[in-house]
Amino acid sequence: MDFAAVMPLAGTLGVMIHEGSKERVAGKLLVQREICTAGNIVHGGAIMAFADCLGAVGAFLTLPEGASGTTTIESKTNFLGAGPVGAMLVGEATPVKVGKRVSVWQTRIRTEEGAEVALVTQTQMVLWPA
């Protein structure tokens, strides 16, 4: 499944998801000028959106039977370094806990060279049909 294709924001930002399983979701994001802030550094909101896309795919892949979807109910970001324009950011989301009502995912974002950019922890709530 092309997860980035079903999330319009992912496509707008240029998020590429190349691995998705219940244990790990991995993707990349090229830092383009359009997603930067002053100084040609990736905007914090773009970093958070990138992480949210990866964590949401993981949460979706771990939904219990009968669930209809998932939504982010909490997210915390630690910004650790800069992502300059032209850099390729690499993100890896892994589950901290997967339950029947919520799952918690942690996403580590680095440059391709390995420099730390952010650590994001998010909680995803399971949605059930009405």
Side-chain angles (χ1 to χ4, degrees):
M1 173 179 238
D2 184 359
F3 294 107
V6 297
M7 292 184 283
L9 180 62
T12 298
L13 291 174
V15 173
M16 301 165 278
I17 299 174
H18 57 267
E19 181 181 337
S21 71
K22 293 180 178 186
E23 295 81 30
R24 179 176 186 266
V25 178
K28 293 184 177 185
L29 175 65
L30 177 63
V31 179
Q32 299 177 58
R33 185 165 167 68
E34 293 79 14
I35 63 170
C36 285
T37 188
N40 288 322
I41 301 298
V42 67
H43 191 284
I47 291 171
M48 294 167 68
F50 176 37
D52 191 67
C53 289
L54 298 178
V57 168
F60 176 80
L61 293 172
T62 59
L63 284 174
E65 189 170 327
S68 61
T70 182
T71 190
T72 305
I73 59 172
E74 193 269 339
S75 184
K76 184 206 184 294
T77 303
N78 290 99
F79 296 104
L80 307 171
V85 71
M88 181 65 77
L89 301 183
V90 179
E92 177 183 52
T94 56
V96 175
K97 179 176 175 58
V98 176
K100 290 182 181 179
R101 294 189 176 96
V102 298
S103 62
V104 178
W105 289 78
Q106 188 170 65
T107 304
R108 184 170 299 277
I109 299 174
R110 300 180 173 103
T111 64
E112 270 191 326
E113 293 75 29
E116 298 282 350
V117 175
L119 182 64
V120 181
T121 304
Q122 67 184 99
T123 304
Q124 293 275 339
M125 180 174 70
V126 174
L127 302 175
W128 297 92

